[in-house]
Amino acid sequence: MDFVALPKIELHAHLTGSISRQTLHEIWLTKSASGSTALQDPLLVIPEGKHDFNLETGSFFPLFSKYIYALLTDEPSLRRATTSVLQSFLQDGVVYLELRTTPRSTPHLSAERYISIIVDTISAFEAANPELHTRLILSIDRRHDFEKASSVLSLALSSFNNNNNNNNNNNNNHTSSSSSPSPSSPSPSESRSESPIIVGLDLCGDPTALPNGQISLFTPLFQKARAAGLGITVHFAETPSSASPAELRTLLSWRPHRLGHVIWEDEESKQEIARRKDQVCLELCLSCNVWAGMVTGGFEGHHFGGWRAVEGVKVTLGTDDVGIFGSPLSNEYRLVAQHFHLDKSQICALARESIDHIFGGEQEKERLRRIMWT
Ligand code: IMP
Ligand code: ZN
């Protein structure tokens, strides 16, 4: 089966983790030539072929905070990196992409400007390459304090509401932003004639931060985002430290549409998630989990198999950080076909399973239903 030609949906990809080493290297070359960086060559820091960056032993998160972020400080670098990420997903046969990113200020850019450059780059790329539709999710990092996290929500809401209001003025067809939608209310962005670029809010970052239920710090923010109609996706149980039933209860109280990773859950949590199979979709990232030592038992032992066996649970495959872990989405589909013995029709059905769980609205879902293989 041609896994690249298979039209695919990517819903779990961190923008700066998706930048290839080669692109980081080229950005570094430009900066070095102008004398504006003293950083080492990315090809030395993240050598080609090395993918075993561990989340818990401290080799993973500093790659971002100490290195990649120090390269992406100015508009040309950010535009170049974002364009190359979009180009890679397009070349890999992705037809709908939800990128997520953490708003950051740099010495040259405010967090608002950082996001507006990304939004602008996405729009320009889509105008030139209409086969790939891309939407953006803003990430709250577990290491954020309440004030910083609030500012991420404000950024997401100001863009989302602006777009909403424009559409409401145009067609008088809107969802209320003042009341909480019921569990059966329309999915994010539904009933809009045109989807905004920013469509959701994510919780990510070092899973060892905010242990023992402290994650409830963010509850009012996620509740507000949900009530406003943003899509909600949260990382859960990537490592044992963020896998408690209490943490799951808190996250579920935010009524997320999707859960990322869901690795180390106990039996009680597993049943709780299975009970919500009609409301949440699981974002599973095989290569990332295996390379980062987040799972035991290799690809065959990945919990994709366990979750597939639970009747009615919906799964979407994601790359997480393809720049670091080196496995494009086509390869993730190849891996599940190989290790879980899925034939062509099962792979097509799996790829289509993501359609109902995008944050990009009804029109987009209809487009995907038309173009994705059956
Ligand atoms: P960015 O938000 O576009 O800068 O993407 C990189 C950021 O995503 C990192 O700094 C982490 O906070 C987050 N991230 C990437 N991969 C993971 C993961 O596997 N678990 C939790 N957070 C992650
Ligand atoms: Zn992730």
Side-chain angles (χ1 to χ4, degrees):
M1 175 169 187
D2 186 341
F3 293 100
V4 174
L6 172 75
K8 295 174 290 299
I9 293 173
E10 165 73 81
L11 301 181
H12 191 128
H14 298 266
L15 171 60
T16 71
S18 302
I19 307 166
S20 72
R21 290 145 209 241
Q22 187 56 33
T23 299
L24 290 172
H25 172 69
E26 287 162 14
I27 290 171
W28 175 83
L29 280 178
T30 306
K31 290 190 163 236
S32 293
S34 64
S36 57
T37 184
L39 289 170
Q40 266 194 307
D41 185 342
L43 295 179
L44 296 175
V45 179
I46 322 170
E48 291 291 354
K50 176 172 167 58
H51 304 300
D52 55 343
F53 293 92
N54 193 292
L55 256 72
E56 280 197 311
T57 59
S59 62
F60 180 74
F61 290 104
L63 267 186
F64 296 93
S65 54
K66 293 199 176 15
Y67 193 74
I68 297 175
Y69 292 165
L71 277 174
L72 298 179
T73 51
D74 57 285
E75 179 166 345
S77 306
L78 185 58
R79 280 191 190 276
R80 186 173 185 169
T82 306
T83 303
S84 94
V85 166
L86 298 174
Q87 189 65 42
S88 302
F89 279 109
L90 174 66
Q91 278 168 356
D92 192 44
V94 173
V95 291
Y96 177 83
L97 166 65
E98 281 177 15
L99 270 182
R100 57 187 75 189
T101 201
T102 322
R104 288 186 299 117
S105 58
T106 76
H108 306 292
L109 304 168
S110 66
E112 290 77 7
R113 182 73 190 132
Y114 185 85
I115 294 302
S116 78
I117 291 168
I118 294 169
V119 167
D120 193 52
T121 307
I122 288 173
S123 300
F125 190 88
E126 191 164 311
N129 304 277
E131 347 39 317
L132 172 62
H133 289 189
T134 303
R135 296 294 172 263
L136 192 64
I137 296 170
L138 298 193
S139 298
I140 289 179
D141 189 305
R142 297 175 75 103
R143 292 158 292 188
H144 284 164
D145 60 20
F146 186 78
E147 197 187 343
K148 173 68 191 155
S150 303
S151 73
V152 174
L153 173 65
S154 301
L155 253 179
L157 286 179
S158 64
S159 152
F160 187 73
N161 288 338
N162 249 341
N163 198 294
N164 240 350
N165 289 340
N166 288 343
N167 284 323
N168 293 343
N169 290 341
N170 288 343
N171 62 14
N172 228 2
N173 178 16
H174 63 279
T175 51
S176 165
S177 63
S178 58
S179 62
S180 284
S182 69
S184 60
S185 61
S187 67
S189 303
E190 225 162 85
S191 84
R192 282 177 203 102
S193 63
E194 192 188 311
S195 183
I197 297 277
I198 297 179
V199 292
L201 194 66
D202 166 47
L203 176 73
C204 73
D206 187 346
T208 59
L210 293 182
N212 307 321
Q214 294 173 57
I215 203 71
S216 59
L217 171 71
F218 298 138
T219 294
L221 303 178
F222 278 89
Q223 285 180 336
K224 194 167 170 193
R226 182 62 158 89
L230 281 168
I232 305 294
T233 175
V234 293
H235 286 65
F236 171 64
E238 294 147 280
T239 61
S241 47
S242 67
S244 71
E247 174 138 339
L248 179 64
R249 271 195 298 281
T250 302
L251 297 181
L252 290 178
S253 78
W254 304 351
R255 292 188 297 121
H257 300 91
R258 305 198 306 248
L259 297 176
H261 294 294
V262 197
I263 300 172
W264 292 94
E265 82 295 332
D266 55 291
E267 201 44 44
E268 178 192 333
S269 300
K270 195 163 183 177
Q271 283 176 15
E272 188 58 50
I273 291 169
R275 265 199 294 280
R276 304 204 182 211
K277 61 184 186 301
D278 296 329
Q279 288 129 50
V280 294
C281 170
L282 308 185
E283 304 166 348
L284 303 185
C285 310
L286 273 80
S287 294
C288 153
N289 295 168
V290 170
W291 283 113
M294 296 152 77
V295 292
T296 51
F299 289 106
E300 297 80 17
H302 191 275
H303 54 294
F304 172 86
W307 278 119
R308 284 303 282 178
V310 183
E311 176 73 27
V313 168
K314 303 296 186 298
V315 166
T316 182
L317 296 182
T319 54
D320 214 3
D321 300 285
V322 62
I324 311 287
F325 299 112
S327 174
L329 192 59
S330 57
N331 194 50
E332 296 295 288
Y333 275 90
R334 189 188 63 73
L335 286 167
V336 294
Q338 178 187 338
H339 294 287
F340 300 96
H341 315 294
L342 270 56
D343 64 20
K344 186 173 177 185
S345 72
Q346 289 170 313
I347 284 289
C348 291
L350 175 64
R352 288 177 65 91
E353 203 165 296
S354 302
I355 297 174
D356 287 335
H357 304 283
I358 68 166
F359 295 161
E362 254 331 293
Q363 282 186 0
E364 187 57 42
K365 289 179 188 170
E366 278 161 24
R367 179 184 81 100
L368 294 169
R369 285 184 195 113
R370 277 196 306 275
I371 64 174
M372 290 185 71
W373 296 356
T374 52

